[in-house]
Amino acid sequence: MADYSVRGARWWVVALPTALACIMSANFSSAQTCDSQDSAALLEFKAGFVDRDGVFAGWNGTADCCSWQGVTCELGRVVELKVMAFFSSGSPVRDTAYAGGQVGASLGALTALTQLDIENVRFNGPIPDSLGDLGNLERLKLRQAGLQGLIPESLCNLSKLQVLDLTDNAITGNVPACVTEWTQIAAIRLAANELSGAISENISQLITLVELDLAENGFEGYIPRSLQKLQKLEILSLSANSLNGSIPSALTGLKSLQVVALDHNQLTGGVSSWWYRLENLTQIELNDNQLGGNIYLPGSTEALAPLQKLSLQNNKFGGTIPPELGNFVGAVAIDLSNNQLTGPIPDSLGNNTFGTLLLSNNRLTGGFPLSLARLQTVRLDGNQLDDLTAIGSVPTDGFNVISELGLGENRLAGPWPTWISELVNLSTLDVSSNNISGPIPVALLSSQNLQYSLNASHNPLNIPLPGGVGFVSQLGILDLTATGLTGSLGASFFKSFPLVSSLYLGENALVGDLPFDLPAMLNPSTNILDLSNNFFTGKVPRFFNLEFLMYLDLVGNSFAFGPL
């Protein structure tokens, strides 16, 4: 009955049909009569809210409560209550005129209840102490419920509790010490609240725990070494707190771990290579901390975790990229951007076929290993790459799959390399802010897959405006700002680029009158047109018919009525 799903799923509407009664065990009567005490408790709960969207519309005293939406009964007793409203201003919200006492307190009378699942019904008050009377409760989920105040110690009476989910409220204080009474607990989800203080050592006594999510709170201090006792733990999320100190090496003894999320804290020190040996680990998120040193991995002959995501960005890691990163099997997403990494990019990283490699804003040198064409996304912007020559060869085994390549803000110089046109599945290419010169290869511009974006801005191309040479581009975004373009803007250009909706041609040496029918030449879906700081003359065309145009920049030209 426990639910171990990773935090992040959102359920908007749940309607439990009365037909559920038909699939119950044959030992139960198909015709149920709701217990009068349970019915009264539910009606009192409903009375505490202003319900503009009619979430509780079917709850009335004339119908059997076992037939109400969200209510499941066994032998006439309410055993499950699931109320999940739309996230809107019309969601049920606490009625300030309600005089029946603490909102939700009546739910404590549903003593047969095993599952209580309420989302986006706005209590705007404390968790009712009376919920501690639900001795049969196995799952308690009160998400996005506007709950405030402390977690009441009365909840420690729930000895059968398996899942506690209070995600996205305004709960304060800390986890009560008495949680050690939860001897069957499998999942604790308290993310996105206002909890504070040190992480309670008492949590380490919950040896049945499979998921612990304390992300997006105000916890501070060290990560408790005692968490190593949680040998069944699969998901550990402590993201977005104020935790400091080093990552306890003892945690690498948690052999069941699948997800470790410690990002957006103030952690220091290095990262042990043992993390990469955990046989079930699929996701490591250590980004946005103050971690440093070299990135160590086990030797190439040792088994590595079945990793799917490695996030180490926005730290202080230095040294070279270990070639062993290419030993992970499958489509791994690796993000090492915004660190202090140096040296060349290992050719072995291309082994992560269909993966993602983000290395932007480091101090990497050399060039682009063509083995990386096996990956789907590669971002190398903001480094010190200076070699445009072919390093290796483009894959010919059907794995030339790269669709996004970022090489902007490097030191690449010289004419366009031929290998860049061989990346036939590119849909997005950014080579901006380099020292690339000469004409853009027609084979690249005419690629049927280069459909999203080409950014070659701030390069000394020093060429006539491309177009009119017998090709048709599929590009939607073209940025040739500050590339030394010459010539005039006319029909031949738009015949070659009929699908461009965001066009940047500013800071060039384009001349002549703009065609009066220029708006008709443009893609009707054009939303950005930048022709600023050129040498255009004549009258400004009327752009009023372009209903999607959001940005038009014509400044720095010499139109007939004077500079615009």
Short mmCIF file of all heavy atoms in Angstrom, two decimals, residues 100-161:
data_model
loop_
_atom_site.label_atom_id
_atom_site.label_comp_id
_atom_site.label_asym_id
_atom_site.label_seq_id
_atom_site.Cartn_x
_atom_site.Cartn_y
_atom_site.Cartn_z
N GLY A 100 -16.52 25.82 13.64
CA GLY A 100 -16.51 24.45 14.14
C GLY A 100 -15.20 24.02 14.76
O GLY A 100 -14.98 22.84 14.96
N GLY A 101 -14.30 24.96 15.02
CA GLY A 101 -13.03 24.60 15.63
C GLY A 101 -11.94 24.45 14.57
O GLY A 101 -12.03 25.01 13.48
N GLN A 102 -10.91 23.70 14.87
CA GLN A 102 -9.77 23.52 13.99
C GLN A 102 -10.19 22.81 12.71
O GLN A 102 -10.78 21.73 12.74
CB GLN A 102 -8.69 22.71 14.73
CG GLN A 102 -7.35 22.67 14.02
CD GLN A 102 -6.34 21.87 14.80
OE1 GLN A 102 -6.54 20.69 15.07
NE2 GLN A 102 -5.25 22.50 15.19
N VAL A 103 -9.87 23.41 11.56
CA VAL A 103 -10.27 22.83 10.28
C VAL A 103 -9.61 21.47 10.11
O VAL A 103 -8.41 21.31 10.30
CB VAL A 103 -9.88 23.77 9.12
CG1 VAL A 103 -10.06 23.07 7.79
CG2 VAL A 103 -10.72 25.02 9.16
N GLY A 104 -10.40 20.46 9.78
CA GLY A 104 -9.90 19.12 9.57
C GLY A 104 -9.89 18.26 10.81
O GLY A 104 -9.61 17.06 10.73
N ALA A 105 -10.20 18.83 11.98
CA ALA A 105 -10.13 18.07 13.22
C ALA A 105 -11.10 16.89 13.21
O ALA A 105 -10.82 15.84 13.80
CB ALA A 105 -10.43 18.97 14.41
N SER A 106 -12.22 17.04 12.52
CA SER A 106 -13.23 15.98 12.52
C SER A 106 -12.73 14.70 11.84
O SER A 106 -13.26 13.62 12.08
CB SER A 106 -14.51 16.47 11.82
OG SER A 106 -14.25 16.73 10.44
N LEU A 107 -11.68 14.81 11.02
CA LEU A 107 -11.17 13.63 10.34
C LEU A 107 -10.62 12.60 11.33
O LEU A 107 -10.50 11.42 11.01
CB LEU A 107 -10.07 14.02 9.33
CG LEU A 107 -10.52 14.89 8.15
CD1 LEU A 107 -9.35 15.22 7.25
CD2 LEU A 107 -11.63 14.20 7.35
N GLY A 108 -10.30 13.06 12.52
CA GLY A 108 -9.82 12.14 13.55
C GLY A 108 -10.85 11.12 13.97
O GLY A 108 -10.51 10.11 14.62
N ALA A 109 -12.11 11.34 13.61
CA ALA A 109 -13.17 10.39 13.95
C ALA A 109 -13.26 9.23 12.96
O ALA A 109 -13.98 8.26 13.20
CB ALA A 109 -14.52 11.12 14.00
N LEU A 110 -12.51 9.33 11.84
CA LEU A 110 -12.55 8.26 10.84
C LEU A 110 -11.55 7.16 11.25
O LEU A 110 -10.52 6.93 10.60
CB LEU A 110 -12.20 8.82 9.46
CG LEU A 110 -13.08 9.97 8.95
CD1 LEU A 110 -12.56 10.51 7.63
CD2 LEU A 110 -14.52 9.51 8.80
N THR A 111 -11.87 6.47 12.29
CA THR A 111 -10.89 5.57 12.94
C THR A 111 -10.55 4.34 12.11
O THR A 111 -9.60 3.63 12.45
CB THR A 111 -11.42 5.15 14.31
OG1 THR A 111 -12.73 4.58 14.15
CG2 THR A 111 -11.50 6.34 15.25
N ALA A 112 -11.29 4.04 11.05
CA ALA A 112 -10.97 2.91 10.18
C ALA A 112 -10.08 3.33 9.01
O ALA A 112 -9.69 2.49 8.20
CB ALA A 112 -12.24 2.26 9.65
N LEU A 113 -9.77 4.61 8.94
CA LEU A 113 -9.05 5.16 7.79
C LEU A 113 -7.63 4.58 7.69
O LEU A 113 -6.89 4.56 8.67
CB LEU A 113 -8.97 6.69 7.91
CG LEU A 113 -8.77 7.50 6.63
CD1 LEU A 113 -9.96 7.32 5.70
CD2 LEU A 113 -8.61 8.98 6.97
N THR A 114 -7.27 4.12 6.50
CA THR A 114 -5.91 3.64 6.24
C THR A 114 -5.14 4.58 5.30
O THR A 114 -3.92 4.60 5.35
CB THR A 114 -5.93 2.24 5.62
OG1 THR A 114 -6.60 2.28 4.35
CG2 THR A 114 -6.60 1.24 6.55
N GLN A 115 -5.86 5.35 4.46
CA GLN A 115 -5.21 6.28 3.55
C GLN A 115 -5.94 7.62 3.57
O GLN A 115 -7.15 7.66 3.34
CB GLN A 115 -5.20 5.74 2.12
CG GLN A 115 -4.36 4.48 1.95
CD GLN A 115 -4.16 4.14 0.49
OE1 GLN A 115 -3.93 5.01 -0.35
NE2 GLN A 115 -4.23 2.85 0.17
N LEU A 116 -5.18 8.67 3.84
CA LEU A 116 -5.71 10.03 3.80
C LEU A 116 -4.83 10.81 2.84
O LEU A 116 -3.64 11.03 3.08
CB LEU A 116 -5.69 10.67 5.18
CG LEU A 116 -6.14 12.14 5.26
CD1 LEU A 116 -7.55 12.31 4.71
CD2 LEU A 116 -6.04 12.66 6.68
N ASP A 117 -5.41 11.21 1.72
CA ASP A 117 -4.66 11.81 0.62
C ASP A 117 -5.39 13.07 0.17
O ASP A 117 -6.40 12.99 -0.53
CB ASP A 117 -4.54 10.80 -0.52
CG ASP A 117 -3.51 11.20 -1.55
OD1 ASP A 117 -3.09 12.37 -1.57
OD2 ASP A 117 -3.13 10.33 -2.36
N ILE A 118 -4.89 14.22 0.59
CA ILE A 118 -5.54 15.50 0.28
C ILE A 118 -4.50 16.43 -0.34
O ILE A 118 -3.42 16.64 0.20
CB ILE A 118 -6.13 16.15 1.55
CG1 ILE A 118 -7.22 15.24 2.14
CG2 ILE A 118 -6.69 17.53 1.24
CD1 ILE A 118 -7.80 15.75 3.44
N GLU A 119 -4.85 16.99 -1.50
CA GLU A 119 -3.93 17.90 -2.19
C GLU A 119 -4.66 19.14 -2.68
O GLU A 119 -5.72 19.05 -3.30
CB GLU A 119 -3.26 17.19 -3.38
CG GLU A 119 -2.26 18.07 -4.10
CD GLU A 119 -1.38 17.29 -5.07
OE1 GLU A 119 -1.40 16.05 -5.02
OE2 GLU A 119 -0.69 17.93 -5.88
N ASN A 120 -4.06 20.29 -2.39
CA ASN A 120 -4.56 21.59 -2.83
C ASN A 120 -5.93 21.92 -2.28
O ASN A 120 -6.73 22.61 -2.89
CB ASN A 120 -4.57 21.68 -4.35
CG ASN A 120 -4.60 23.12 -4.82
OD1 ASN A 120 -4.00 24.00 -4.19
ND2 ASN A 120 -5.31 23.39 -5.89
N VAL A 121 -6.24 21.39 -1.13
CA VAL A 121 -7.38 21.86 -0.33
C VAL A 121 -6.76 22.68 0.80
O VAL A 121 -6.05 22.15 1.65
CB VAL A 121 -8.20 20.68 0.22
CG1 VAL A 121 -9.29 21.18 1.15
CG2 VAL A 121 -8.80 19.88 -0.93
N ARG A 122 -7.00 23.97 0.79
CA ARG A 122 -6.18 24.90 1.55
C ARG A 122 -6.67 25.03 3.00
O ARG A 122 -7.57 25.79 3.32
CB ARG A 122 -6.17 26.26 0.89
CG ARG A 122 -5.92 26.23 -0.61
CD ARG A 122 -4.58 25.67 -0.98
NE ARG A 122 -3.50 26.57 -0.64
CZ ARG A 122 -2.22 26.32 -0.86
NH1 ARG A 122 -1.88 25.16 -1.41
NH2 ARG A 122 -1.30 27.18 -0.54
N PHE A 123 -6.00 24.29 3.91
CA PHE A 123 -6.32 24.37 5.33
C PHE A 123 -5.96 25.75 5.90
O PHE A 123 -6.66 26.28 6.75
CB PHE A 123 -5.53 23.31 6.11
CG PHE A 123 -6.01 21.90 5.90
CD1 PHE A 123 -5.76 21.22 4.73
CD2 PHE A 123 -6.71 21.25 6.90
CE1 PHE A 123 -6.20 19.92 4.54
CE2 PHE A 123 -7.15 19.94 6.73
CZ PHE A 123 -6.89 19.28 5.55
N ASN A 124 -4.82 26.30 5.45
CA ASN A 124 -4.32 27.58 5.96
C ASN A 124 -4.32 27.62 7.48
O ASN A 124 -4.78 28.58 8.11
CB ASN A 124 -5.13 28.75 5.39
CG ASN A 124 -4.94 28.92 3.90
OD1 ASN A 124 -4.01 28.37 3.32
ND2 ASN A 124 -5.83 29.65 3.25
N GLY A 125 -3.80 26.58 8.07
CA GLY A 125 -3.74 26.46 9.52
C GLY A 125 -2.88 25.26 9.89
O GLY A 125 -2.21 24.67 9.04
N PRO A 126 -2.89 24.87 11.14
CA PRO A 126 -2.02 23.79 11.59
C PRO A 126 -2.54 22.41 11.20
O PRO A 126 -3.71 22.24 10.84
CB PRO A 126 -2.04 23.96 13.11
CG PRO A 126 -3.37 24.56 13.40
CD PRO A 126 -3.66 25.49 12.25
N ILE A 127 -1.66 21.43 11.28
CA ILE A 127 -2.06 20.04 11.10
C ILE A 127 -2.90 19.65 12.31
O ILE A 127 -2.47 19.82 13.45
CB ILE A 127 -0.82 19.13 11.02
CG1 ILE A 127 0.04 19.52 9.82
CG2 ILE A 127 -1.25 17.66 10.91
CD1 ILE A 127 1.38 18.79 9.78
N PRO A 128 -4.11 19.15 12.10
CA PRO A 128 -4.97 18.82 13.25
C PRO A 128 -4.34 17.75 14.15
O PRO A 128 -3.90 16.70 13.67
CB PRO A 128 -6.26 18.30 12.60
CG PRO A 128 -6.23 18.84 11.21
CD PRO A 128 -4.80 18.92 10.82
N ASP A 129 -4.28 18.02 15.44
CA ASP A 129 -3.76 17.04 16.39
C ASP A 129 -4.56 15.73 16.33
O ASP A 129 -4.01 14.65 16.58
CB ASP A 129 -3.83 17.60 17.82
CG ASP A 129 -2.75 18.64 18.07
OD1 ASP A 129 -1.57 18.29 17.99
OD2 ASP A 129 -3.10 19.80 18.33
N SER A 130 -5.84 15.84 16.01
CA SER A 130 -6.71 14.67 16.04
C SER A 130 -6.33 13.61 15.02
O SER A 130 -6.76 12.47 15.13
CB SER A 130 -8.17 15.10 15.82
OG SER A 130 -8.32 15.70 14.54
N LEU A 131 -5.50 13.97 14.04
CA LEU A 131 -5.07 12.97 13.07
C LEU A 131 -4.25 11.87 13.75
O LEU A 131 -4.13 10.76 13.22
CB LEU A 131 -4.25 13.61 11.94
CG LEU A 131 -4.98 14.62 11.04
CD1 LEU A 131 -4.09 15.05 9.89
CD2 LEU A 131 -6.29 14.05 10.50
N GLY A 132 -3.73 12.17 14.92
CA GLY A 132 -3.01 11.17 15.68
C GLY A 132 -3.90 10.07 16.24
O GLY A 132 -3.40 9.06 16.76
N ASP A 133 -5.22 10.25 16.12
CA ASP A 133 -6.16 9.23 16.59
C ASP A 133 -6.42 8.16 15.54
O ASP A 133 -7.14 7.19 15.81
CB ASP A 133 -7.50 9.89 16.97
CG ASP A 133 -7.34 10.87 18.14
OD1 ASP A 133 -6.42 10.67 18.95
OD2 ASP A 133 -8.15 11.82 18.21
N LEU A 134 -5.87 8.35 14.34
CA LEU A 134 -6.14 7.42 13.24
C LEU A 134 -5.17 6.24 13.32
O LEU A 134 -4.22 6.11 12.54
CB LEU A 134 -6.01 8.15 11.89
CG LEU A 134 -6.93 9.37 11.71
CD1 LEU A 134 -6.63 10.08 10.39
CD2 LEU A 134 -8.39 8.95 11.77
N GLY A 135 -5.41 5.37 14.24
CA GLY A 135 -4.48 4.29 14.55
C GLY A 135 -4.25 3.30 13.44
O GLY A 135 -3.28 2.55 13.48
N ASN A 136 -5.15 3.26 12.44
CA ASN A 136 -4.98 2.33 11.32
C ASN A 136 -4.34 2.98 10.10
O ASN A 136 -4.16 2.34 9.06
CB ASN A 136 -6.34 1.75 10.91
CG ASN A 136 -6.90 0.81 11.96
OD1 ASN A 136 -6.24 -0.16 12.34
ND2 ASN A 136 -8.10 1.11 12.45
N LEU A 137 -3.98 4.27 10.22
CA LEU A 137 -3.50 5.01 9.05
C LEU A 137 -2.14 4.49 8.59
O LEU A 137 -1.21 4.35 9.38
CB LEU A 137 -3.40 6.50 9.38
CG LEU A 137 -3.42 7.45 8.18
CD1 LEU A 137 -4.75 7.36 7.45
CD2 LEU A 137 -3.17 8.89 8.63
N GLU A 138 -2.05 4.21 7.29
CA GLU A 138 -0.82 3.74 6.69
C GLU A 138 -0.19 4.79 5.78
O GLU A 138 1.02 4.81 5.60
CB GLU A 138 -1.08 2.47 5.88
CG GLU A 138 -1.58 1.31 6.74
CD GLU A 138 -1.98 0.11 5.90
OE1 GLU A 138 -1.88 0.19 4.66
OE2 GLU A 138 -2.38 -0.91 6.48
N ARG A 139 -1.02 5.64 5.19
CA ARG A 139 -0.50 6.68 4.30
C ARG A 139 -1.18 8.00 4.62
O ARG A 139 -2.41 8.11 4.57
CB ARG A 139 -0.73 6.31 2.84
CG ARG A 139 -0.10 7.32 1.87
CD ARG A 139 -0.13 6.85 0.44
NE ARG A 139 -1.48 6.86 -0.12
CZ ARG A 139 -1.75 6.55 -1.38
NH1 ARG A 139 -0.77 6.18 -2.19
NH2 ARG A 139 -2.99 6.58 -1.83
N LEU A 140 -0.37 9.02 4.91
CA LEU A 140 -0.87 10.36 5.20
C LEU A 140 -0.21 11.32 4.23
O LEU A 140 1.00 11.57 4.29
CB LEU A 140 -0.55 10.75 6.64
CG LEU A 140 -0.90 12.20 7.04
CD1 LEU A 140 -2.38 12.47 6.85
CD2 LEU A 140 -0.48 12.47 8.47
N LYS A 141 -1.01 11.86 3.31
CA LYS A 141 -0.50 12.79 2.30
C LYS A 141 -1.34 14.05 2.33
O LYS A 141 -2.53 14.03 2.03
CB LYS A 141 -0.55 12.16 0.91
CG LYS A 141 0.32 10.91 0.76
CD LYS A 141 0.21 10.29 -0.62
CE LYS A 141 0.83 11.15 -1.67
NZ LYS A 141 0.82 10.48 -3.02
N LEU A 142 -0.71 15.15 2.72
CA LEU A 142 -1.36 16.46 2.75
C LEU A 142 -0.46 17.44 1.99
O LEU A 142 0.32 18.19 2.57
CB LEU A 142 -1.58 16.93 4.20
CG LEU A 142 -2.41 16.02 5.10
CD1 LEU A 142 -2.38 16.52 6.54
CD2 LEU A 142 -3.85 15.94 4.59
N ARG A 143 -0.53 17.41 0.68
CA ARG A 143 0.35 18.21 -0.17
C ARG A 143 -0.32 19.50 -0.58
O ARG A 143 -1.52 19.55 -0.84
CB ARG A 143 0.74 17.42 -1.43
CG ARG A 143 1.49 16.12 -1.17
CD ARG A 143 1.59 15.29 -2.43
NE ARG A 143 2.32 15.99 -3.48
CZ ARG A 143 3.60 15.77 -3.77
NH1 ARG A 143 4.29 14.88 -3.08
NH2 ARG A 143 4.19 16.42 -4.75
N GLN A 144 0.48 20.57 -0.65
CA GLN A 144 -0.01 21.87 -1.11
C GLN A 144 -1.32 22.23 -0.39
O GLN A 144 -2.29 22.66 -1.01
CB GLN A 144 -0.24 21.85 -2.62
CG GLN A 144 1.04 21.66 -3.43
CD GLN A 144 0.78 21.59 -4.91
OE1 GLN A 144 -0.11 20.86 -5.36
NE2 GLN A 144 1.53 22.33 -5.69
N ALA A 145 -1.31 22.08 0.91
CA ALA A 145 -2.54 22.26 1.68
C ALA A 145 -2.51 23.50 2.56
O ALA A 145 -3.41 23.67 3.38
CB ALA A 145 -2.77 21.01 2.54
N GLY A 146 -1.51 24.36 2.40
CA GLY A 146 -1.45 25.57 3.20
C GLY A 146 -1.27 25.30 4.69
O GLY A 146 -1.67 26.12 5.52
N LEU A 147 -0.66 24.17 5.02
CA LEU A 147 -0.48 23.82 6.44
C LEU A 147 0.62 24.67 7.06
O LEU A 147 1.64 24.96 6.44
CB LEU A 147 -0.12 22.34 6.56
CG LEU A 147 -1.23 21.37 6.13
CD1 LEU A 147 -0.70 19.95 6.06
CD2 LEU A 147 -2.42 21.45 7.08
N GLN A 148 0.41 25.05 8.31
CA GLN A 148 1.34 25.93 9.02
C GLN A 148 1.64 25.33 10.40
O GLN A 148 0.99 24.40 10.85
CB GLN A 148 0.72 27.32 9.17
CG GLN A 148 0.30 27.96 7.86
CD GLN A 148 -0.65 29.13 8.05
OE1 GLN A 148 -0.96 29.53 9.17
NE2 GLN A 148 -1.14 29.67 6.94
N GLY A 149 2.66 25.91 11.03
CA GLY A 149 2.98 25.48 12.38
C GLY A 149 3.82 24.21 12.40
O GLY A 149 4.39 23.78 11.39
N LEU A 150 3.91 23.58 13.56
CA LEU A 150 4.77 22.43 13.78
C LEU A 150 4.10 21.13 13.35
O LEU A 150 2.88 21.06 13.20
CB LEU A 150 5.13 22.34 15.27
CG LEU A 150 5.75 23.58 15.93
CD1 LEU A 150 5.95 23.32 17.41
CD2 LEU A 150 7.06 23.95 15.25
N ILE A 151 4.92 20.11 13.15
CA ILE A 151 4.40 18.76 12.99
C ILE A 151 3.99 18.27 14.38
O ILE A 151 4.83 18.15 15.27
CB ILE A 151 5.46 17.82 12.40
CG1 ILE A 151 5.90 18.32 11.02
CG2 ILE A 151 4.93 16.39 12.31
CD1 ILE A 151 7.06 17.54 10.42
N PRO A 152 2.71 18.02 14.62
CA PRO A 152 2.27 17.66 15.98
C PRO A 152 2.83 16.31 16.41
O PRO A 152 2.90 15.36 15.62
CB PRO A 152 0.75 17.64 15.87
CG PRO A 152 0.46 17.41 14.43
CD PRO A 152 1.58 18.06 13.67
N GLU A 153 3.21 16.23 17.68
CA GLU A 153 3.74 14.96 18.21
C GLU A 153 2.68 13.88 18.22
O GLU A 153 3.02 12.69 18.27
CB GLU A 153 4.31 15.18 19.61
CG GLU A 153 5.56 16.04 19.62
CD GLU A 153 6.27 16.00 20.95
OE1 GLU A 153 5.79 15.28 21.86
OE2 GLU A 153 7.30 16.68 21.10
N SER A 154 1.42 14.26 18.14
CA SER A 154 0.36 13.26 18.12
C SER A 154 0.48 12.33 16.92
O SER A 154 0.04 11.17 16.97
CB SER A 154 -1.02 13.93 18.10
OG SER A 154 -1.20 14.71 16.91
N LEU A 155 1.14 12.79 15.82
CA LEU A 155 1.30 11.94 14.65
C LEU A 155 2.21 10.75 14.95
O LEU A 155 2.18 9.75 14.23
CB LEU A 155 1.86 12.74 13.48
CG LEU A 155 0.98 13.86 12.90
CD1 LEU A 155 1.60 14.40 11.61
CD2 LEU A 155 -0.44 13.39 12.64
N CYS A 156 3.01 10.85 16.00
CA CYS A 156 3.88 9.73 16.36
C CYS A 156 3.07 8.53 16.85
O CYS A 156 3.61 7.41 16.96
CB CYS A 156 4.88 10.16 17.42
SG CYS A 156 6.03 11.43 16.84
N ASN A 157 1.79 8.75 17.14
CA ASN A 157 0.93 7.64 17.55
C ASN A 157 0.56 6.72 16.39
O ASN A 157 0.01 5.64 16.60
CB ASN A 157 -0.37 8.18 18.19
CG ASN A 157 -0.09 8.98 19.45
OD1 ASN A 157 0.90 8.74 20.15
ND2 ASN A 157 -0.97 9.93 19.75
N LEU A 158 0.86 7.15 15.18
CA LEU A 158 0.47 6.39 13.99
C LEU A 158 1.49 5.27 13.76
O LEU A 158 2.34 5.33 12.88
CB LEU A 158 0.39 7.32 12.78
CG LEU A 158 -0.54 8.54 12.94
CD1 LEU A 158 -0.47 9.43 11.70
CD2 LEU A 158 -1.97 8.11 13.22
N SER A 159 1.37 4.22 14.54
CA SER A 159 2.37 3.16 14.55
C SER A 159 2.38 2.34 13.26
O SER A 159 3.34 1.62 12.99
CB SER A 159 2.14 2.23 15.74
OG SER A 159 0.83 1.65 15.68
N LYS A 160 1.31 2.42 12.45
CA LYS A 160 1.25 1.67 11.19
C LYS A 160 1.64 2.52 9.99
O LYS A 160 1.59 2.05 8.85
CB LYS A 160 -0.16 1.12 10.98
CG LYS A 160 -0.60 0.11 12.04
CD LYS A 160 -2.00 -0.42 11.73
CE LYS A 160 -2.46 -1.43 12.79
NZ LYS A 160 -3.82 -1.95 12.50
N LEU A 161 2.06 3.75 10.23
CA LEU A 161 2.33 4.68 9.14
C LEU A 161 3.48 4.19 8.26
O LEU A 161 4.55 3.83 8.75
CB LEU A 161 2.67 6.07 9.70
CG LEU A 161 2.63 7.23 8.70
CD1 LEU A 161 1.22 7.43 8.17
CD2 LEU A 161 3.15 8.52 9.34
#
